[in-house]
Amino acid sequence: MKSRPLLLWLAILLLGPLSDGCGKKEGESGSGPGGVQKKKLKLAFVSNNASPFWTIARAGCNDAQQELGNVEVDFRIPSTGTAAEQRQILDDLAAKGVDGIAVSPIDPANQTELLNKLAEQTLLICHDSDAPASKRVC
């Protein structure tokens, strides 16, 4: 299945830049090379609607979470598919201090300000639906 490698690549893309400087700190879990404790990364995947298509994406996120070990993925689906609901989800994730967000913007042109704010707080990438005017990583 082509979507699984894509989702694993997505997880690696989110994790790569975040792994630098994740040295041992009190309360962190996971173990890196040489037994050095690594921070458990909190990532989020946000879809743009409740389509069954996202079941495959959720499975890929769950697989990545299990295979990588030091990752917790919060998978969110806006049940109504509205930009307002997606904004509420993204604001909630930002308030929780997630390390990275992968989002499929519902209304990219009108969400640019929100996406730029998120990009200042965390690693942000767009999937499925792009927001090229935003400051997302890719």
Side-chain angles (χ1 to χ4, degrees), residues 23-123:
K24 184 177 180 181
K25 292 183 183 175
E26 188 175 330
E28 293 180 338
S29 62
S31 182
V36 175
Q37 292 294 314
K38 291 282 202 164
K39 173 184 175 188
K40 186 163 191 163
L41 297 173
K42 294 180 182 179
L43 305 176
F45 189 102
V46 182
S47 75
N48 57 8
N49 60 42
S51 168
F53 165 79
W54 296 111
T55 302
I56 298 166
R58 182 187 297 266
C61 288
N62 290 341
D63 286 350
Q65 184 172 280
Q66 290 177 353
E67 291 173 19
L68 297 172
N70 70 330
V71 177
E72 179 183 314
V73 181
D74 188 351
F75 196 96
R76 302 282 190 99
I77 297 174
S79 59
T80 62
T82 65
E85 183 183 14
Q86 189 178 56
R87 178 184 189 101
Q88 185 176 8
I89 291 169
L90 293 169
D91 286 341
D92 178 53
L93 292 168
K96 288 183 175 183
V98 296
D99 298 302
I101 299 173
V103 61
S104 178
I106 291 172
D107 185 4
N110 292 315
Q111 288 179 300
T112 302
E113 184 179 329
L114 168 64
L115 297 172
N116 287 344
K117 179 183 167 190
L118 290 169
E120 291 174 6
Q121 299 173 335
T122 190
L123 181 64

